[in-house]
Amino acid sequence: MPQSNDVVNLWLFIDEWTRCVGSSYQKDRLYRFGEFDKCSAQFDDIKVALKAKLESSPEKAIDLLETTHYKQNLGSDPSKSPTAGVIWELKEKPSWD
C-alpha cells in the first residue's frame, strides 16, 4: 500500500528538482562556478522517493528517504546549510536576539 504524504511527500523532491533546473538557479550556478548544474542528485532523489512511496512499511520508507541528497545535505536542519558558518553563524537557541 502506498505511503501517505505524511510519510513520503513526493512534492518536496519534485520542488527541489524544479528549483534546480530553473533558470534563476542555473544562471547563479553559471556565474558562481562557470558551469551548469546537471541536477542529477535531485532527480535521483525523486526516484528514491517514488520507491519509498511504494514501500509497504513506513519504517522502510523513512530509511530510504534518509539516503536522499536532500536529507543528507539540505532538509530542515540548519546545521546542514551550505551557508552556515560561512555567511551566518548558528545560534545555540534560535531567536531574534
Side-chain angles (χ1 to χ4, degrees), residues 1-54:
M1 177 155 171
Q3 298 299 321
S4 70
N5 283 339
D6 295 333
V7 178
V8 179
N9 187 357
L10 287 176
W11 289 112
L12 173 73
F13 299 100
I14 293 170
D15 285 346
E16 271 301 302
W17 179 75
T18 55
R19 179 202 57 80
C20 184
V21 297
S23 59
S24 293
Y25 174 76
Q26 292 293 338
K27 177 187 57 127
D28 289 346
R29 175 80 182 192
L30 182 62
Y31 178 77
R32 292 178 185 164
F33 302 106
E35 63 185 14
F36 291 112
D37 192 342
K38 295 177 183 153
C39 302
S40 58
Q42 288 82 359
F43 189 70
D44 290 342
D45 283 356
I46 293 174
K47 292 189 277 188
V48 171
L50 283 168
K51 285 180 189 175
K53 188 77 167 176
L54 296 175

Side-chain angles (χ1 to χ4, degrees), residues 38-86:
K38 295 177 183 153
C39 302
S40 58
Q42 288 82 359
F43 189 70
D44 290 342
D45 283 356
I46 293 174
K47 292 189 277 188
V48 171
L50 283 168
K51 285 180 189 175
K53 188 77 167 176
L54 296 175
E55 206 44 68
S56 59
S57 164
E59 293 80 21
K60 287 182 183 178
I62 291 169
D63 289 342
L64 274 174
L65 291 179
E66 291 300 321
T67 66
T68 61
H69 173 77
Y70 179 79
K71 289 288 187 177
Q72 292 177 352
N73 298 301
L74 303 169
S76 61
D77 185 0
S79 66
K80 294 180 182 177
S81 170
T83 58
V86 178

